[in-house]
Amino acid sequence: MGKRVSYPVEVKLKAIEMRLAGVPVKEGMETLQIRNHTQLKTWMRWHRNGESYRLAQPVGQTYTHRKGPHSQDTPSKLKAENRYLKQQIEVLKKYKELEREWLDLSQ
């Protein structure tokens, strides 16, 4: 069984935005480095159903709307925040790398 991947909310929103703009699924997956197309379909379904709050829920943990993850204990909250911040850093690194490639191509 594969390792679970958690995507930052920004990546999820960008994927939804790209699909709404008509970007093909494969291209969006490659650009944002999303492993599975069914994940993208799930995010799109949540968006269509007005369940965008679900984009922020942790992997493998479900909770009802408005209950949120505030019921977690402090170490769990800190671990989740740490994971989220590391993911943000990774996304920014990927963006910088892509930006550099785009600048090289345009010259």
Side-chain angles (χ1 to χ4, degrees):
M1 188 168 183
K3 183 179 175 184
R4 287 186 177 184
V5 178
S6 175
Y7 298 98
V9 176
E10 293 81 10
V11 170
K12 296 173 185 179
L13 292 173
K14 183 66 178 172
I16 291 169
E17 182 183 311
M18 290 173 75
R19 285 298 300 137
L20 293 175
V23 176
V25 173
K26 223 174 194 177
E27 184 179 329
M29 287 176 57
E30 289 173 4
T31 303
L32 299 173
Q33 296 184 350
I34 298 170
R35 290 186 180 181
N36 195 329
H37 68 90
T38 56
Q39 187 64 67
L40 185 54
K41 287 181 180 181
T42 301
W43 298 338
M44 288 299 296
R45 184 177 66 244
W46 290 347
H47 175 74
R48 277 192 309 272
N49 295 339
E51 300 174 334
S52 53
Y53 63 89
R54 294 181 74 176
L55 297 173
Q57 76 185 25
V59 172
Q61 296 182 11
T62 57
Y63 51 85
T64 59
H65 184 48
R66 298 185 201 253
K67 179 179 176 188
H70 65 275
S71 61
Q72 295 177 344
D73 58 343
T74 303
S76 296
K77 284 182 184 178
L78 292 175
K79 285 179 184 177
E81 182 181 5
N82 192 16
R83 184 176 60 242
Y84 174 76
L85 293 172
K86 284 180 180 180
Q87 291 170 347
Q88 282 186 322
I89 290 170
E90 288 302 313
V91 167
L92 290 172
K93 285 180 183 178
K94 290 174 189 173
Y95 179 79
K96 279 244 184 227
E97 186 178 312
L98 287 172
E99 190 176 45
R100 246 184 271 122
E101 289 176 17
W102 292 333
L103 287 175
D104 290 344
L105 290 174
S106 66
Q107 293 177 358

